[in-house]
Amino acid sequence: STQSTWGLLLVLSTHDSRMSEVPPQPNQPSQAQKATSERNLNLWHWEEKNHFDWANQTLSSVLSGIQATVNGASVLSTTIDNLDGECFGNIRKARRFITYDLTCTFNWTGSYAGTDLSGKFSVTDLSSSGEQPRVVVNLTGERTEALNRCKAALESPEFVNVVRSRLVAWDRELKARA
């Protein structure tokens, strides 16, 4: 005998605060199944979705606005300069997983003893492998005391730990999207 699953679906109208009943539908797909294509019944076959654009948008907001003040030098991450790599959500045999390998370059501004500076820092080894991402600060221009102090602030645990903790939260959000 064939067994059917029947349920009652309640819909909230955006124009009306009343609830209306929708007739039950046999074998309604789960929310996870609705997110995939109609051809991939029971999430069995390989399916891949590119999340690179989402990663680019969210990393920009996640990593901007991080501040640190160390030994009189203040630094602030401002905007994303470049994002390289790949970021995919995958489904195979009813299991979902995320794979990504990214390098993110950010702009920063800083000041020390009345001197305003700006530059770039990179977050490398940002991957789904579970390794700790590295914050790399490359300096260009004349090496001054102000520039060296700002570099030390960008490489300080105060700055790097905030970057890493925000990336952990970003990773959780990405995996929830898969």
Side-chain angles (χ1 to χ4, degrees):
S1 79
T2 305
Q3 191 175 21
S4 294
T5 304
W6 292 84
L8 178 64
L9 178 64
L10 298 175
V11 178
L12 290 174
S13 170
T14 57
H15 304 293
D16 193 304
S17 62
R18 294 175 290 160
M19 297 173 72
S20 60
E21 288 187 19
V22 175
Q25 302 293 320
N27 297 324
Q28 282 191 320
S30 70
Q31 192 68 14
Q33 288 170 325
K34 288 179 185 177
T36 64
S37 70
E38 292 177 7
R39 295 172 285 139
N40 195 359
L41 296 177
N42 299 322
L43 306 172
W44 192 253
H45 301 288
W46 184 271
E47 191 167 307
E48 185 171 81
K49 184 175 180 182
N50 189 337
H51 290 288
F52 185 83
D53 290 338
W54 179 87
N56 193 19
Q57 291 171 356
T58 56
L59 282 173
S60 180
S61 64
V62 164
L63 294 179
S64 61
I66 300 173
Q67 299 181 50
T69 301
V70 177
N71 295 328
S74 295
V75 293
L76 171 71
S77 62
T78 56
T79 58
I80 194 168
D81 183 61
N82 189 35
L83 182 67
D84 287 323
E86 56 187 28
C87 181
F88 289 98
N90 302 286
I91 299 171
R92 176 70 174 131
K93 295 186 179 179
R95 292 181 21 215
R96 296 172 173 271
F97 52 98
I98 290 287
T99 55
Y100 61 91
D101 188 9
L102 301 167
T103 297
C104 183
T105 304
F106 250 79
N107 296 309
W108 62 269
T109 60
S111 65
Y112 175 74
T115 303
D116 292 329
L117 300 162
S118 62
K120 299 181 187 315
F121 72 91
S122 297
V123 178
T124 62
D125 300 329
L126 179 55
S127 70
S128 53
S129 68
E131 292 180 30
Q132 284 262 345
R134 294 183 321 130
V135 175
V136 178
V137 181
N138 294 316
L139 299 179
T140 57
E142 184 181 338
R143 299 293 293 252
T144 63
E145 179 67 19
L147 195 58
N148 288 335
R149 294 281 182 124
C150 285
K151 179 182 183 198
L154 287 165
E155 293 174 337
S156 72
E158 181 181 340
F159 188 83
V160 172
N161 290 340
V162 172
V163 169
R164 286 184 177 151
S165 68
R166 288 188 182 187
L167 289 173
V168 166
W170 174 84
D171 179 75
R172 267 190 249 119
E173 185 178 347
L174 176 61
K175 288 176 180 170
R177 281 183 66 79

